[in-house]
Amino acid sequence: MELFDVFATVVEQQSLNKASLLLNISQPALSRKIMRLEEELGVPLFKRKGKRLELTRAGEICYEHALERKRLERKLEQALQGFKAHTPPASIIIGASLTTLQSTLPDLITIYTREYPMTDVKAVTGKTHEIVPLVKEKKVNIGLVASSISEPGLTCVPLFVDHLCLVLPVKHPFADRSTLTIQDLHELPMILFSRGTWYRVLMDEMFHRCAVYPDVKMEIDSFEAITRLVTTCEAATLLPESYLRHTLMENNQLTVRYIAELEQTKRTTSLLYTEEAFHEPSIRQFIDKAMQHYHAEFPAD
């Protein structure tokens, strides 16, 4: 055992006797090791007060160094683990639709990499109809789309069901209304998703069905830009409920209102993968982690 490891054990046990028992060496041998470290460093590490050991300032610095050494050794061991098993570090390529990339994927990657820090996770974006062939052709390992897909050769696993909500600046005239209906959106100044996105298709179908035609001031494909501009322009917007985190609403001074017709705009966010991909341990772990997280956060009714 390295002298710094022996020294750290003595510090943590606060006793030569306890440390010698833990290290399975005699107390005289342990004392000699500490003395040798002090001789090598040229400074005393302990002040002896009766039977008690007290660190000197030099000892405190050396203990911090010993802890840093341990941390670096653990990090090195983790980094080399895959190579010891004669396998390269795992990697996952995720194909995500733009809306899931902005709303669903960041949380999922954070949760996964916290438990599997050595996995290299990459993401590419595209519309849902572009992600599906990428998964089939094995250009990405997993697809994450705000839709339910039925495609030969692909497994589609639903994660959660989402719907649109009316989002308003806190000082908007509608913010304090006791009730709102879908008709209140007629000619209402709004900032909406760009045409062609799945959520915008969903909105336009609903508007047409309800004979409601808002005053669309801007069309943007970025969640972040929409949430910032809504307050600046004193407009309204429609956003998926899963995106409406408390901090997001608070930081942008926004409030959410629920309207019955909007709650019918249901979208299922799903994972797509091939059977071959599922047999890869890292991909199966990602799928399991996604299902655990979202089934807990969005329990089925």
Side-chain angles (χ1 to χ4, degrees):
M1 181 177 282
E2 293 281 348
L3 290 178
F4 272 106
D5 294 332
V6 171
F7 165 69
T9 302
V10 174
V11 174
E12 288 157 7
Q13 295 301 310
Q14 298 182 317
S15 162
L16 283 170
N17 185 44
K18 290 180 182 178
S20 66
L21 291 173
L22 186 65
L23 296 170
N24 197 29
I25 59 175
S26 68
Q27 190 170 326
L30 179 57
S31 296
R32 287 194 295 273
K33 286 180 180 291
I34 295 299
M35 289 175 62
R36 187 170 14 134
L37 181 60
E38 288 178 324
E39 289 171 2
E40 288 180 5
L41 297 174
V43 292
L45 301 176
F46 293 102
K47 290 181 286 187
R48 288 158 180 83
K49 294 191 174 181
K51 294 183 178 180
R52 198 162 56 86
L53 294 176
E54 187 176 297
L55 280 175
T56 63
R57 178 55 189 146
E60 291 173 356
I61 294 170
C62 287
Y63 181 58
E64 291 169 6
H65 174 72
L67 292 180
E68 180 65 13
R69 279 168 56 99
K70 283 186 178 181
R71 188 189 69 79
L72 291 173
E73 285 170 3
R74 284 196 300 270
K75 187 175 180 181
L76 176 62
E77 180 64 26
Q78 288 176 346
L80 295 178
Q81 198 60 47
F83 295 99
K84 287 182 180 180
H86 305 292
T87 56
S91 64
I92 300 175
I93 304 175
I94 303 167
S97 60
L98 184 61
T99 49
T100 57
L101 182 68
Q102 296 180 84
S103 60
T104 306
L105 191 58
D107 281 352
L108 190 49
I109 289 178
T110 299
I111 291 163
Y112 179 80
T113 54
R114 188 183 299 140
E115 187 164 339
Y116 302 101
M118 301 312 298
T119 304
D120 181 28
V121 180
K122 299 177 182 178
V124 297
T125 187
K127 293 184 170 62
T128 296
H129 71 269
E130 296 170 330
I131 297 302
V132 173
L134 289 179
V135 179
K136 286 193 73 171
E137 295 165 12
K138 301 181 179 61
K139 293 179 179 177
V140 300
N141 305 119
I142 297 173
L144 185 63
V145 294
S147 184
S148 186
I149 301 294
S150 178
E151 184 77 19
L154 292 183
T155 298
C156 178
V157 176
L159 293 178
F160 62 90
V161 178
D162 208 0
H163 65 78
L164 293 169
C165 300
L166 178 64
V167 178
L168 306 162
V170 292
K171 295 183 179 179
H172 192 280
F174 283 4
D176 296 324
R177 285 261 197 109
S178 57
T179 59
L180 288 170
T181 70
I182 196 67
Q183 298 303 319
D184 290 311
L185 273 56
H186 186 65
E187 296 185 351
L188 181 68
M190 299 190 78
I191 299 173
L192 300 179
F193 286 109
S194 300
R195 292 181 184 276
T197 59
W198 273 100
Y199 277 115
R200 181 57 186 275
V201 170
L202 203 62
M203 292 175 198
D204 287 343
E205 288 175 352
M206 180 198 62
F207 292 147
H208 180 73
R209 186 170 61 253
C210 299
V212 169
Y213 301 100
D215 178 10
V216 181
K217 297 295 186 182
M218 297 183 189
E219 297 173 307
I220 303 172
D221 62 4
S222 165
F223 279 5
E224 184 179 359
I226 290 175
T227 53
R228 290 188 178 187
L229 286 167
V230 160
T231 300
T232 302
C233 300
E234 298 182 353
T237 191
L238 299 178
L239 293 173
E241 186 181 33
S242 62
Y243 184 67
L244 305 180
R245 301 289 190 264
H246 175 73
T247 52
L248 173 95
M249 303 296 283
E250 191 176 68
N251 292 344
N252 290 281
Q253 297 183 299
L254 300 173
T255 186
V256 61
R257 299 299 303 274
Y258 294 91
I259 297 174
E261 289 86 351
L262 290 179
E263 293 184 31
Q264 300 307 310
T265 56
K266 296 187 182 297
R267 290 288 305 280
T268 301
T269 294
S270 307
L271 282 175
L272 303 176
Y273 55 86
T274 63
E275 184 178 351
E276 182 181 339
F278 184 73
H279 291 297
E280 292 288 334
S282 58
I283 296 170
R284 189 165 62 252
Q285 289 161 355
F286 187 92
I287 293 166
D288 291 343
K289 188 58 62 179
M291 293 176 67
Q292 290 169 15
H293 172 67
Y294 288 109
H295 289 179
E297 188 168 349
F298 301 94
D301 296 331

